[in-house]
Amino acid sequence: MPAIEPHDPAPSRLKYRLERMWMTPVYRSLIRTGLPVTVVVLLVGNYLQKPEVQTRLASSVTQARAMIESRPEFALKLMRIQGASPVVAEQIREAVPLVFPLSSLRVDLNVLKERIEQVDAVKTAALFMRTGILDVQIDERIPKLVWRVNGNLQLVDDEGIRAGMIANRAVRTDLPLIVGEGAADYAAEALKLINALGPLVARFRGLQRIGERRWDVVLDRQQKIQLPTDNPVAALERVIALQNARDLLERDVLVVDVRDGHRPIIRLTASAMTELRRLRQIADEEDKKL
Amino acid sequence: MTHLYETQKAMRARRRVALQKGVVAILDVGTSKIACMILQFDSSVQNDAQEAMTAVANHGAFRVIGVATTRSRGVRYGEVSTMEETERAIRTAVQAAQKMANTRVDYVIACLAGAEPRSYGVAGSVHLENGSVMDYDIGRVLASCDVPDYGLGREAVHAMPVNFALDHRSGLSDPRGQIGNRLSVDMHLLTISTSAIENLLRCIKRCDLELAGFASSAYVSGISALVEDEQELGGACIDLGAGATGVSVFLKKHMIFADSVRMGGDLVTSDIAQGLQVATSVAERIKTFYGGVIATGMDDRDMIEIGGDTGDYDRDRRRISRSELIGVMRPRVEEILEEVRKCLDAAGFDHLPGQRIVLTGGGSQIPGIEGLASRILGQQVRLGKPLRIQGLPQAATGPAFASSVGLVLYAAHPQDECWDFNLPLEGQGRQPLKRAMRWFKDNW
């Protein structure tokens, strides 16, 4: 019987070392999880680096997006504007040129709201999406004053904010006129003054802001009431009391200056002045005779 | 003594590291088999190290999680004879045990059966400076032992303080804190041949393992096979191995003597192979199946087929009676036991209070050996199996595993040795400079 080389059960030194390495927890976890993860990440990264793959991926994403957006459930068919006059509604439609039907996913209500509120005549806008309808609730600005500045005529509401433009004064004769730089910022004060006019309303022509700090009330016959910076309404009321008592403004007076709180100062017209001097002379002569 | 002290200290340090890692392997390099067991320690159940006299951490809670045995190769008389072969066998055992435990081990505690152990009883005494025994006095008295000149090429593997005596009181195990003037100690020193341990160390190194402890096989078999009474009152453990027969004598739970006879079961096998003209493998087989040492009339009629592995089946149909086999085995076993008897006589075993003899190891499985041994060695002979330890498979509980199991116990719970105490070394101040010089000399 030939001697058979007995099988050596001993592991080779390499195998022994590898097995020991495999039993080390660090290597074990590295090989069992770290290696496959690295390989997968590398493969996927390599695949994604190709430009045609990237474009295909991008196009498929946009396609899917478009498909969802174009579903009838998301379609908007019209914009309904409520609480606005037809002119303002037209202005709003011009400001947000939406082409219907439109996917509601493409509509950014915040941006739309901002744009609608940039329209002069709109104070606040509230936007809602109903099924198929974009609902716009408008709170309109109510013009209270006409402000002439830099040769333009602007409509201003009670907060002094622009509420529109007009071509000429004749369009809105119902609103009082204010002029002067920065006049609109004091629209509230101007409105109070106009409310306090009382009997002078019929003769009232406008309010003029002087030096961006105080008001002049301009009446017809080129009469002016110069009001102080502080508390102009009270000063105006004093002038009206004078008017009621003495018919001050019916006389030949050019300017009533109440800027000094203690006493009003009156400037007469030139003819009134000569007449006054003449009368005083006559009076003086009569005094001498006596 | 200093060099030895440091190498053993380094081994202790490695053992501590291994225990912190929680996993340590034991490696029993025998002549017929190499056994590797992997122990797992539960670090939460570590006993308080200061409880004992020294800083050796003891471990009660451990579990065997991997066991592998492989046929030993390249080992003769319990010593490494062919390094390459031994290395392969160690690799096989370690790898299989690692696979079973599913963990890797870096530290091993090893034992060798042969390597000519020699026992020395050493004594030392010291005068106590302040009237009571302090911690450092233990180290001082151990350092004061006059170590015999055990010659070049030998290495001390065990140096255990067996007995402390304070003035006239002897038999103290822990004299710390006691009052007296003179402290003396009896120490048992066991040396083995340096070349044997270095060869084993190299094999272990080549398997990428580190040696965290070393024990004599005779000693660890005694730990596992002797019961507590026998260790306390005096008992001898005869580990009948394949290549070498270990003898260890215990008294007061300390080993006081160890020796090994360079004869074992392999010699019986080769006697059978030569006497009956069969191959060694056949001889081994019939020894384990039909072997015995006391023949009866029944054995004359008990015929054994010993058909040799010659390929000639037609003619080679030899049969022998069992009494013939016993006739071959008995003289050799008797010879081994006679040698053991000589060792025991040299150790003064007759003077011990208890004279229990425990036969263990693979050779103790021969039927009737306890009867033969009681005729040669003494009346109180019994067969010993190793202690039960947790996690040990049934296959590894036989007497052949006495030294493996003992090594497990030794790894978990070593006895205090001389190097576990802080010895006051002379010229400690110059030590670093000397060490640096030695390092330079060694490296250039």
Side-chain angles (χ1 to χ4, degrees), chain B residues 188-208:
Chain B
H188 175 231
L189 184 70
L190 188 73
T191 67
I192 64 165
S193 95
T194 310
S195 59
I197 188 169
E198 275 181 355
N199 287 343
L200 180 68
L201 189 60
R202 180 161 296 179
C203 288
I204 286 170
K205 270 262 155 65
R206 277 161 62 147
C207 294
D208 302 334

Side-chain angles (χ1 to χ4, degrees), chain A residues 2 4 59 85 110 146 195 246 266 271:
Chain A
I4 300 163
S59 73
S85 61
N110 286 332
V146 177
N195 282 337
R246 302 277 178 94
I266 294 163
S271 59

Side-chain angles (χ1 to χ4, degrees), chain A residues 1 8-17 19-21 23-25 27-28, chain B residues 73 87-88 91-92 94-95 98-99 102-106 206-209 309:
Chain A
M1 216 164 107
D8 187 357
S12 70
R13 191 172 294 173
L14 184 71
K15 196 181 165 205
Y16 173 77
R17 286 212 175 128
E19 196 130 316
R20 277 169 67 79
M21 213 183 229
M23 301 228 177
T24 317
Y27 283 103
R28 201 175 180 137
Chain B
R73 288 176 295 164
E87 185 205 328
R88 284 164 161 272
R91 247 192 278 151
T92 316
V94 170
Q95 192 183 32
Q98 278 180 349
K99 203 170 243 175
N102 199 19
T103 180
R104 72 174 276 179
V105 285
D106 294 312
R206 277 161 62 147
C207 294
D208 302 334
L209 300 168
D309 191 16

Side-chain angles (χ1 to χ4, degrees), chain A residues 214 216 222-224 226 248-249 251-259 264-270 272-273:
Chain A
R214 63 176 198 81
D216 270 6
Q222 297 192 336
Q223 279 184 336
K224 268 188 195 174
Q226 295 182 328
L248 177 67
L249 293 165
R251 296 162 196 254
D252 213 356
V253 172
L254 203 61
V255 175
V256 179
D257 184 351
V258 285
R259 287 179 292 178
I265 298 166
I266 294 163
R267 196 197 303 162
L268 302 176
T269 57
M273 209 51 205

Side-chain angles (χ1 to χ4, degrees), chain B residues 126 128 130 132-142 183:
Chain B
V126 77
L128 294 179
N130 46 7
S132 70
V133 183
M134 313 296 282
D135 279 346
Y136 68 89
D137 287 323
I138 308 275
R140 265 194 332 136
V141 73
L142 288 172
L183 179 70

Side-chain angles (χ1 to χ4, degrees), chain B residues 217-228 230-231 237 239 248 250 358 360-361 382 384-389 398-410:
Chain B
S217 179
Y219 168 50
V220 292
S221 320
I223 294 177
S224 75
L226 294 184
V227 297
E228 214 161 305
E230 290 161 345
Q231 285 185 11
C237 175
D239 182 1
S248 58
F250 280 74
V358 177
T360 187
R382 72 170 180 94
K385 274 173 82 172
L387 288 179
R388 305 300 294 266
I389 54 176
F401 286 86
S403 61
S404 310
V405 173
L407 198 53
V408 170
L409 297 173
Y410 172 78

Side-chain angles (χ1 to χ4, degrees), chain A residues 272-289:
Chain A
M273 209 51 205
T274 50
E275 188 67 13
L276 182 65
R277 280 201 198 102
R278 196 180 57 82
L279 287 176
R280 273 188 186 156
Q281 206 172 7
I282 291 169
D284 283 351
E285 283 168 5
E286 282 182 357
D287 284 349
K288 279 173 196 166
K289 283 176 192 166

